[in-house]
Amino acid sequence: MARVMRSADWTLSIDLSGSGPIFEAECTSCGEASGPADDKAGPEIWCLRHAGRTGHTGFRGITTAFFRAALEGSSAVSESAAGQES
């Protein structure tokens, strides 16, 4: 049985077809979380209110970004790269 192995170049880029990054904050003392938001202002305000209410001062900032992999030279890469250059 013969095997053919091919090499391919892939490109990873930010996925512009969906939402932008999602932001959230989590208290490192009790584990309560702000919940997800489209901008970081909401989770940051939640941290300050939580600190004032509980005295907890440590927080973890969580940012989730979305990526898309595509074969180099495919139309998906070209569209994604064009969106990044804008």
Side-chain angles (χ1 to χ4, degrees), residues 2 7 15 28 34 37-38 51-52 55 68 77-79 83 86:
S7 164
D15 186 352
T28 57
S34 65
D38 290 334
R68 182 153 314 269
V77 172
S78 299
E79 292 169 12
S86 303

Side-chain angles (χ1 to χ4, degrees), residues 37-67:
D38 290 334
D39 65 47
K40 63 182 184 168
E44 289 176 351
I45 292 168
W46 178 87
C47 290
L48 297 172
R49 289 181 177 158
H50 184 80
R53 192 175 76 250
T54 64
H56 299 164
T57 58
F59 300 91
R60 177 180 298 112
I62 304 161
T63 303
T64 303
F66 302 93
F67 299 96

Side-chain angles (χ1 to χ4, degrees), residues 6-20:
R6 294 186 186 145
S7 164
D9 291 327
W10 286 82
T11 301
L12 189 64
S13 59
I14 294 176
D15 186 352
L16 302 172
S17 66
S19 72

